[in-house]
Amino acid sequence: MSHHRLPLTPSMQTSDSVKILLWPHRLCAEGDGHLPGSCSARKQLLAIARNAGWSWVEGV
């Protein structure tokens, strides 16, 4: 599993798709790196959810 930022796709505009993409990174820490302790993918996906105003992101 890669912890690098993900390529942006149209599917990232839906809440369910972002949740699915985020699931493998559920134990990672947000960051700018490419390891579970500093996961760019988690940071990116959580930013997408926060910017969209999806309320579930606060519980992640």
Side-chain angles (χ1 to χ4, degrees):
M1 173 175 62
S2 173
H3 299 281
H4 292 279
R5 287 179 57 87
L6 304 169
L8 292 176
T9 64
S11 68
M12 288 181 176
Q13 296 176 2
T14 68
S15 176
D16 288 340
S17 293
V18 172
K19 282 183 187 178
I20 290 167
L21 291 169
L22 189 57
W23 180 253
H25 302 281
R26 67 192 177 278
L27 301 177
C28 296
E30 285 182 72
D32 295 319
H34 58 277
L35 300 170
S38 180
C39 180
S40 293
R42 180 175 175 85
K43 180 179 178 180
Q44 175 191 18
L45 293 166
L46 289 176
I48 290 169
R50 287 181 187 119
N51 290 340
W54 297 326
S55 59
W56 58 262
V57 75
E58 298 310 319
V60 176

